[in-house]
DNA sequence: GTCTATAGTTCGATAGAC
DNA sequence: GTCTATCGAACTATAGAC
């Protein structure tokens, strides 16, 4: 995968940056090659010098680079975090909200599907490897330390990804005076301790 | 709003049904008037007899009807559920997963935005009124009964919507041998009691 | 590397016959 | 109510000058 991604030719990175920003914000169908070219300050046809294989392949390369970036970033912040579950989960959600907002569900169910059904499956695998696995691993480790109850760890990591996406979206609607990062701290606290009043 | 929605002329309902199914599955931009006409077994031009105000207005009417449907359904199942928090939350998620899968985040951030920025704001209001409020109310009631800790209730209802959307999506990827309804039961149990091992 | 020009499609929407 | 035919706009992509 991504033989081109190895050559980060500076100008190629600029193209991928502009394409990523637009694809992730508006979705595959809504973004035209003209939009991307405009963002780069060039004409639509000139973009085909940098993306000679067309829009579809450009989207694939954007996703490949993004998932690679996520996997590396997650592994890095997890390794750097204190070895407690709450600290690690906070480090993860901090990292995720700092990245450009990504709607994983829309990517799989709307964007990837209109490229091809098989690509949607491929994207699911990429998300699994790049984003789910690193989180699942620390949940499982906490279970083995006896800190966490018997719960399917993949369920928890899926929840965390879904809730982070939602927090970023929620923040963008300006309904609360709280940042998405702070909101996720509260979400983590809630997931760890539950909603139920226990003061007795 | 929705002066036309009052006349449920049977054939109009068929058009809205077909449009809703496609819009909710693929998103506004990816669905063409031809797709909708095909689903109804008619030619693309014939669809304009039923939707004379075009694609944009058709989407708005689909959303209006859907939100009205959600509000009525939520109020109904909440009223019918046993007066305990867990039973009411389960009734809510049961209802939500039984409906056609809806990606609220994509609707606001991708679909509505390309109609107009102001329509995106309007849709946020509709989601608030139709889906957030009914759930927020029962969280707040449980807090007043002393069952639930001091948490912003809107945060909990937002989480529940996000997680239900995610569970339906997750189920559609066929990764677990568990239905989204059962998955949401476990999610509710986790949200109530937390992940932390308390056996001591 | 970027441009103009344009081919080839597809889309939303309208006109008019039946 | 549904059809055929078509217009104008927007999109992907290519060709070729500079």
């Amino acid at each position: 995968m991504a033989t081109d991604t190895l050559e980060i030719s500076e100008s190629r990175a600029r193209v991928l940056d502009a394409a990523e920003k637009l694809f992730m914000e508006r979705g595959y169908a809504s973004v035209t090659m003209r939009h991307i070219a405009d963002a780069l300050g060039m004409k639509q046809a000139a973009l085909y010098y940098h993306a000679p294989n067309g829009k579809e392949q450009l989207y694939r390369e954007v996703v490949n680079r993004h998932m690679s970036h996520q996997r590396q970033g997650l592994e890095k912040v997890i390794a750097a975090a204190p070895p407690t579950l709450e600290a690690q989960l906070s480090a993860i959600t901090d990292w995720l909200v700092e990245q450009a907002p990504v709607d994983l569900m829309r990517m799989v169910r709307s964007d990837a599907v209109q490229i091809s059904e098989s690509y949607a499956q491929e994207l699911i695998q990429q998300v699994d490897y790049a984003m789910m696995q690193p989180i699942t691993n620390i949940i499982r480790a906490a279970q083995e330390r006896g800190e966490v109850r018997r719960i399917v760890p993949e369920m928890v990591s899926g929840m965390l990804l879904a809730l982070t996406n939602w927090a970023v979206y929620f923040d963008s609607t300006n309904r609360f005076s709280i940042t998405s990062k702070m909101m996720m701290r509260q979400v983590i606290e809630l997931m760890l301790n539950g909603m139920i009043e226990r003061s007795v």
Side-chain angles (χ1 to χ4, degrees), chain A:
Chain A
M1 60 181 123
T3 60
D4 308 86
T5 313
L6 298 179
E7 319 168 22
I8 29 169
S9 57
E10 180 67 40
S11 74
R12 173 152 198 82
R14 279 189 63 242
V15 173
L16 289 175
D17 286 342
E20 176 169 2
K21 184 170 188 298
L22 289 166
F23 279 141
M24 296 305 181
E25 274 177 2
R26 300 302 176 109
Y28 179 75
S30 315
V31 175
T32 69
M33 296 298 267
R34 187 185 221 292
H35 291 149
I36 300 171
D38 284 351
L40 290 165
M42 63 177 69
K43 297 296 179 183
Q44 179 253 7
L47 182 56
Y48 281 82
Y49 173 82
H50 302 279
N53 294 331
K55 184 183 178 183
E56 208 175 288
Q57 185 61 23
L58 179 57
Y59 183 82
R60 293 172 116 106
E61 287 167 18
V62 162
V63 170
N64 287 342
R65 192 185 65 155
H66 180 81
M67 290 300 161
S68 173
H69 174 72
Q70 290 285 18
R71 170 94 193 190
Q72 289 175 350
L74 285 173
E75 283 178 344
K76 184 178 168 189
V77 298
I78 289 172
T84 69
L85 180 59
E86 184 160 10
Q88 290 181 322
L89 292 180
S90 298
I92 287 169
T93 56
D94 279 1
W95 161 262
L96 290 174
V97 303
E98 279 164 13
Q99 307 312 304
V102 178
D103 188 336
L104 293 174
M105 269 170 50
R106 190 208 58 203
M107 285 176 67
V108 172
R109 297 215 311 189
S110 302
D111 296 348
V113 166
Q114 50 191 271
I115 288 176
S116 82
E117 199 65 51
S118 68
Y119 179 60
Q121 291 300 319
E122 184 186 328
L123 179 54
I124 289 176
Q125 308 272 27
Q126 282 190 296
V127 173
D128 254 343
Y129 173 77
M131 310 189 71
M132 292 275 286
Q133 275 184 20
I135 307 177
T136 302
N137 287 341
I138 73 159
I139 308 286
R140 189 174 288 121
Q143 275 181 327
E144 287 165 0
R145 292 197 303 271
E147 291 179 31
V148 168
R149 290 194 288 140
R150 222 176 81 80
I151 299 173
V152 181
E154 285 83 0
M155 189 178 88
V156 179
S157 46
M159 287 173 66
L160 209 68
L161 286 177
L163 289 171
T164 308
N165 281 346
W166 163 79
V168 173
Y169 152 76
F170 212 67
D171 190 31
S172 71
T173 66
N174 290 321
R175 253 125 29 127
F176 285 152
S177 53
I178 189 177
T179 64
S180 38
K181 202 176 283 190
M182 286 306 299
M183 203 182 305
M184 283 310 294
R185 295 300 173 98
Q186 295 188 21
V187 167
I188 290 171
E189 194 275 337
L190 190 149
M191 286 177 69
L192 289 173
N193 298 309
M195 293 164 58
I196 291 179
E197 179 66 64
R198 298 178 188 281
S199 64
V200 182

